[in-house]
Amino acid sequence: MKQMLNVALPKGRLGEKVYDMFEKAGFPCPSIKEDNRRLIFENEELGLRFFWAKPSDVPIYVERGVADIGVAGKDILLEYLPDVYELLDLNLGKCRMAVAAPKDFRDDPRHTLRVATKFSRIAKNYYDAQGRDIDIIHLNGSIEIAPIIGLSDVIVDIVETGTTLKENNLEVFATVVPISARLIANKAGFKFKNETIEKIVRGIAAQVEMRK
Ligand code: PRP
Protein backbone atom coordinates (compact mmCIF):
# COMPACT_ATOMS: atom_id res chain seq x y z
CA MET A 1 0.00 0.00 0.00
CA LYS A 2 1.18 3.49 -0.82
CA GLN A 3 2.40 5.58 2.10
CA MET A 4 -0.08 8.35 2.92
CA LEU A 5 0.83 11.91 3.78
CA ASN A 6 -1.66 13.26 6.30
CA VAL A 7 -2.38 16.98 6.36
CA ALA A 8 -4.35 18.73 9.14
CA LEU A 9 -5.97 21.95 7.95
CA PRO A 10 -7.71 24.50 10.18
CA LYS A 11 -11.43 24.39 9.50
CA GLY A 12 -12.66 27.74 8.16
CA ARG A 13 -11.68 30.46 5.73
CA LEU A 14 -7.96 30.32 6.48
CA GLY A 15 -7.95 26.56 5.91
CA GLU A 16 -9.67 26.97 2.55
CA LYS A 17 -7.01 29.46 1.43
CA VAL A 18 -4.32 27.07 2.59
CA TYR A 19 -5.93 24.18 0.70
CA ASP A 20 -5.82 26.31 -2.49
CA MET A 21 -2.08 26.69 -1.96
CA PHE A 22 -1.66 22.92 -1.72
CA GLU A 23 -3.66 22.55 -4.91
CA LYS A 24 -1.52 25.13 -6.74
CA ALA A 25 1.61 23.42 -5.44
CA GLY A 26 0.50 20.24 -7.23
CA PHE A 27 -1.12 18.49 -4.26
CA PRO A 28 -4.86 18.63 -5.00
CA CYS A 29 -7.75 16.72 -3.54
CA PRO A 30 -10.78 17.84 -5.59
CA SER A 31 -13.41 16.12 -3.41
CA ILE A 32 -12.61 18.63 -0.66
CA LYS A 33 -14.44 21.31 -2.63
CA GLU A 34 -17.71 19.39 -2.53
CA ASP A 35 -20.13 21.13 -0.28
CA ASN A 36 -20.73 18.66 2.53
CA ARG A 37 -19.87 18.14 6.14
CA ARG A 38 -17.28 15.47 5.66
CA LEU A 39 -14.04 16.10 7.50
CA ILE A 40 -11.61 13.72 5.78
CA PHE A 41 -10.67 13.69 2.09
CA GLU A 42 -8.25 11.50 0.17
CA ASN A 43 -6.40 11.65 -3.10
CA GLU A 44 -5.41 7.99 -3.35
CA GLU A 45 -3.34 8.48 -6.46
CA LEU A 46 -1.07 11.01 -4.75
CA GLY A 47 -1.22 9.28 -1.38
CA LEU A 48 -2.61 12.41 0.20
CA ARG A 49 -5.16 12.72 2.99
CA PHE A 50 -6.50 16.09 4.18
CA PHE A 51 -8.63 16.60 7.23
CA TRP A 52 -10.35 19.63 8.71
CA ALA A 53 -9.53 20.10 12.38
CA LYS A 54 -10.53 22.74 14.89
CA PRO A 55 -7.76 25.34 14.36
CA SER A 56 -6.42 25.17 17.91
CA ASP A 57 -6.27 21.36 17.71
CA VAL A 58 -4.07 21.17 14.60
CA PRO A 59 -0.78 21.06 16.60
CA ILE A 60 -2.12 18.16 18.68
CA TYR A 61 -2.67 16.01 15.57
CA VAL A 62 0.74 16.99 14.23
CA GLU A 63 2.64 16.50 17.49
CA ARG A 64 1.12 13.04 17.92
CA GLY A 65 1.95 12.11 14.36
CA VAL A 66 -1.52 11.35 13.00
CA ALA A 67 -0.93 14.36 10.78
CA ASP A 68 2.52 14.70 9.18
CA ILE A 69 2.02 18.37 8.49
CA GLY A 70 -0.57 21.01 9.32
CA VAL A 71 -1.26 24.71 9.56
CA ALA A 72 -1.57 26.53 12.87
CA GLY A 73 -1.53 30.12 14.11
CA LYS A 74 1.63 31.35 15.83
CA ASP A 75 -0.62 32.22 18.80
CA ILE A 76 -1.45 28.55 19.34
CA LEU A 77 2.20 27.52 18.88
CA LEU A 78 3.42 30.06 21.44
CA GLU A 79 0.69 29.15 23.90
CA TYR A 80 0.94 25.36 23.80
CA LEU A 81 4.58 24.91 22.68
CA PRO A 82 3.90 21.69 20.75
CA ASP A 83 6.99 19.61 19.95
CA VAL A 84 6.82 20.12 16.16
CA TYR A 85 8.90 21.73 13.46
CA GLU A 86 7.81 25.13 12.19
CA LEU A 87 8.58 24.99 8.46
CA LEU A 88 7.17 28.13 6.93
CA ASP A 89 5.44 31.42 7.70
CA LEU A 90 2.45 31.45 5.32
CA ASN A 91 1.96 35.20 5.76
CA LEU A 92 -1.79 34.50 6.06
CA GLY A 93 -4.16 34.97 8.98
CA LYS A 94 -2.15 37.98 10.03
CA CYS A 95 -3.11 39.67 13.28
CA ARG A 96 -1.44 40.54 16.57
CA MET A 97 -1.60 39.54 20.20
CA ALA A 98 -2.25 42.70 22.16
CA VAL A 99 -2.98 44.12 25.58
CA ALA A 100 -6.26 46.03 25.54
CA ALA A 101 -8.27 47.89 28.16
CA PRO A 102 -10.99 50.53 28.54
CA LYS A 103 -9.87 53.94 27.22
CA ASP A 104 -9.50 55.46 30.68
CA PHE A 105 -7.36 52.63 32.06
CA ARG A 106 -4.09 53.67 33.76
CA ASP A 107 -1.76 50.96 35.01
CA ASP A 108 -0.98 51.34 38.70
CA PRO A 109 2.20 49.35 39.44
CA ARG A 110 1.37 49.23 43.16
CA HIS A 111 -1.45 46.79 42.42
CA THR A 112 -1.44 43.33 40.94
CA LEU A 113 -2.75 43.63 37.40
CA ARG A 114 -5.76 41.43 36.63
CA VAL A 115 -5.39 40.00 33.12
CA ALA A 116 -8.17 38.08 31.38
CA THR A 117 -7.07 35.90 28.48
CA LYS A 118 -7.35 32.69 26.55
CA PHE A 119 -3.55 32.80 26.17
CA SER A 120 -2.29 32.42 29.72
CA ARG A 121 1.28 31.40 28.86
CA ILE A 122 1.76 34.23 26.37
CA ALA A 123 0.37 36.75 28.88
CA LYS A 124 2.52 35.38 31.72
CA ASN A 125 5.71 35.47 29.62
CA TYR A 126 4.97 39.00 28.48
CA TYR A 127 4.47 40.39 31.99
CA ASP A 128 7.24 38.25 33.54
CA ALA A 129 9.69 39.88 31.14
CA GLN A 130 8.61 43.26 32.55
CA GLY A 131 8.70 42.07 36.15
CA ARG A 132 5.03 42.99 36.48
CA ASP A 133 2.95 41.14 39.05
CA ILE A 134 -0.26 39.81 37.50
CA ASP A 135 -3.26 37.68 38.30
CA ILE A 136 -4.29 35.63 35.27
CA ILE A 137 -7.97 34.98 34.74
CA HIS A 138 -8.20 32.25 32.13
CA LEU A 139 -11.29 32.52 29.92
CA ASN A 140 -12.28 30.51 26.84
CA GLY A 141 -13.71 33.25 24.63
CA SER A 142 -15.54 36.60 24.53
CA ILE A 143 -12.60 37.96 26.51
CA GLU A 144 -13.66 41.55 25.78
CA ILE A 145 -16.43 41.31 28.36
CA ALA A 146 -13.99 40.91 31.28
CA PRO A 147 -12.74 44.51 31.74
CA ILE A 148 -16.17 45.94 30.98
CA ILE A 149 -17.88 44.15 33.82
CA GLY A 150 -14.94 44.45 36.19
CA LEU A 151 -13.59 40.90 36.08
CA SER A 152 -10.16 42.15 34.93
CA ASP A 153 -8.18 45.35 34.38
CA VAL A 154 -6.90 44.40 30.93
CA ILE A 155 -7.14 41.60 28.39
CA VAL A 156 -4.50 39.88 26.30
CA ASP A 157 -6.18 38.79 23.11
CA ILE A 158 -5.99 38.61 19.35
CA VAL A 159 -6.70 41.81 17.44
CA GLU A 160 -7.25 41.58 13.72
CA THR A 161 -9.32 44.48 12.37
CA GLY A 162 -9.82 46.05 15.81
CA THR A 163 -13.59 46.06 15.35
CA THR A 164 -14.36 43.88 18.36
CA LEU A 165 -12.35 46.18 20.64
CA LYS A 166 -13.91 49.31 19.20
CA GLU A 167 -17.46 48.04 19.56
CA ASN A 168 -16.75 47.28 23.19
CA ASN A 169 -15.03 50.61 23.95
CA LEU A 170 -11.63 49.04 24.42
CA GLU A 171 -8.26 50.21 23.12
CA VAL A 172 -4.95 48.56 22.38
CA PHE A 173 -2.33 49.52 24.98
CA ALA A 174 0.55 47.40 23.68
CA THR A 175 1.38 44.83 21.05
CA VAL A 176 2.65 41.58 22.56
CA VAL A 177 3.60 39.73 19.38
CA PRO A 178 2.62 39.67 15.69
CA ILE A 179 0.77 36.52 14.62
CA SER A 180 0.42 34.63 11.34
CA ALA A 181 -0.29 31.09 10.13
CA ARG A 182 2.61 28.62 10.05
CA LEU A 183 3.15 25.33 8.26
CA ILE A 184 4.23 22.80 10.89
CA ALA A 185 5.48 19.21 10.70
CA ASN A 186 5.68 16.17 12.92
CA LYS A 187 9.36 15.56 13.70
CA ALA A 188 9.42 11.88 12.68
CA GLY A 189 7.13 12.46 9.71
CA PHE A 190 9.44 15.22 8.49
CA LYS A 191 12.31 12.74 8.43
CA PHE A 192 10.53 9.78 6.86
CA LYS A 193 8.39 11.65 4.34
CA ASN A 194 10.95 14.35 3.74
CA GLU A 195 10.91 14.33 -0.05
CA THR A 196 7.17 14.94 -0.33
CA ILE A 197 7.11 17.46 2.50
CA GLU A 198 10.00 19.43 1.00
CA LYS A 199 8.16 19.52 -2.34
CA ILE A 200 5.09 20.92 -0.64
CA VAL A 201 7.18 23.49 1.25
CA ARG A 202 8.86 24.65 -1.96
CA GLY A 203 5.54 24.86 -3.83
CA ILE A 204 3.87 26.82 -1.09
CA ALA A 205 6.88 29.04 -0.30
CA ALA A 206 6.94 30.15 -3.95
CA GLN A 207 3.31 31.28 -3.65
CA VAL A 208 3.99 33.10 -0.37
CA GLU A 209 6.83 34.98 -2.07
CA MET A 210 4.67 35.88 -5.08
CA ARG A 211 1.99 37.34 -2.85
CA LYS A 212 4.43 39.58 -0.95
C1 PRP B 1 -10.95 36.78 18.05
C2 PRP B 1 -10.45 37.60 19.20
C3 PRP B 1 -11.29 38.84 19.13
C4 PRP B 1 -11.55 38.98 17.64
C5 PRP B 1 -10.65 40.04 17.08
O1 PRP B 1 -12.07 36.10 18.48
O2 PRP B 1 -10.60 36.91 20.43
O3 PRP B 1 -12.49 38.67 19.82
O4 PRP B 1 -11.25 37.72 17.03
O5 PRP B 1 -10.95 40.34 15.73
P1 PRP B 1 -11.18 41.84 15.22
O6 PRP B 1 -10.03 42.66 15.74
O7 PRP B 1 -11.15 41.70 13.72
O8 PRP B 1 -12.49 42.31 15.71
P2 PRP B 1 -12.61 34.79 17.81
O9 PRP B 1 -13.52 35.13 16.70
O10 PRP B 1 -11.47 33.90 17.46
O11 PRP B 1 -13.48 34.15 18.99
P3 PRP B 1 -13.30 34.09 20.59
O12 PRP B 1 -14.02 35.27 21.13
O13 PRP B 1 -13.96 32.82 20.95
O14 PRP B 1 -11.84 34.11 20.92
Side-chain angles (χ1 to χ4, degrees):
M1 211 180 77
K2 199 175 163 135
Q3 194 187 44
M4 290 297 267
L5 185 89
N6 293 293
V7 185
L9 293 179
K11 205 168 184 309
R13 230 158 21 105
L14 169 69
E16 283 162 23
K17 276 190 199 163
V18 173
Y19 168 74
D20 287 339
M21 297 177 97
F22 274 84
E23 194 174 75
K24 283 200 185 109
F27 294 85
C29 188
S31 59
I32 211 167
K33 296 270 189 180
E34 286 164 19
D35 188 21
N36 58 33
R37 294 178 70 84
R38 254 172 66 199
L39 296 172
I40 304 182
F41 300 88
E42 282 185 18
N43 180 334
E44 271 185 52
E45 210 179 314
L46 290 182
L48 203 55
R49 185 186 292 128
F50 286 99
F51 55 90
W52 295 118
K54 185 178 163 77
S56 53
D57 287 343
V58 166
I60 299 173
Y61 294 95
V62 175
E63 181 176 40
R64 290 189 173 256
V66 289
D68 298 296
I69 55 175
V71 170
K74 185 67 180 174
D75 51 335
I76 302 299
L77 300 176
L78 288 171
E79 182 61 27
Y80 297 104
L81 304 179
D83 189 18
V84 297
Y85 291 133
E86 198 180 303
L87 302 179
L88 190 64
D89 184 345
L90 298 180
N91 212 22
L92 286 176
K94 284 171 82 166
C95 52
R96 59 182 163 148
M97 188 67 66
V99 177
K103 288 183 177 60
D104 57 3
F105 167 75
R106 293 290 168 271
D107 192 1
D108 180 351
R110 290 169 304 176
H111 294 122
T112 301
L113 185 71
R114 296 169 307 154
V115 183
T117 188
K118 208 157 71 171
F119 301 93
S120 296
R121 186 196 303 269
I122 295 175
K124 186 176 181 315
N125 287 346
Y126 175 73
Y127 284 106
D128 275 358
Q130 299 176 8
R132 182 74 172 95
D133 220 12
I134 62 165
D135 176 15
I136 299 234
I137 301 154
H138 188 92
L139 297 177
N140 297 302
S142 301
I143 317 294
E144 292 82 1
I145 299 170
I148 299 170
I149 60 163
L151 178 63
S152 74
D153 301 306
V154 301
I155 64 173
V156 168
D157 200 12
I158 284 172
V159 180
E160 194 183 348
T161 59
T163 310
T164 311
L165 291 183
K166 207 167 153 205
E167 306 236 318
N168 290 289
N169 298 314
L170 300 173
E171 265 183 6
V172 169
F173 274 73
T175 295
V176 176
V177 63
I179 303 291
S180 59
R182 309 294 161 103
L183 183 67
I184 59 173
N186 173 268
K187 290 188 166 175
F190 184 69
K191 198 161 141 196
F192 294 115
K193 303 179 186 176
N194 191 264
E195 203 180 317
T196 315
I197 294 176
E198 290 286 11
K199 252 190 223 162
I200 292 173
V201 171
R202 281 197 298 275
I204 292 183
Q207 297 173 56
V208 173
E209 283 310 309
M210 290 232 303
R211 270 204 334 256
K212 272 184 184 167

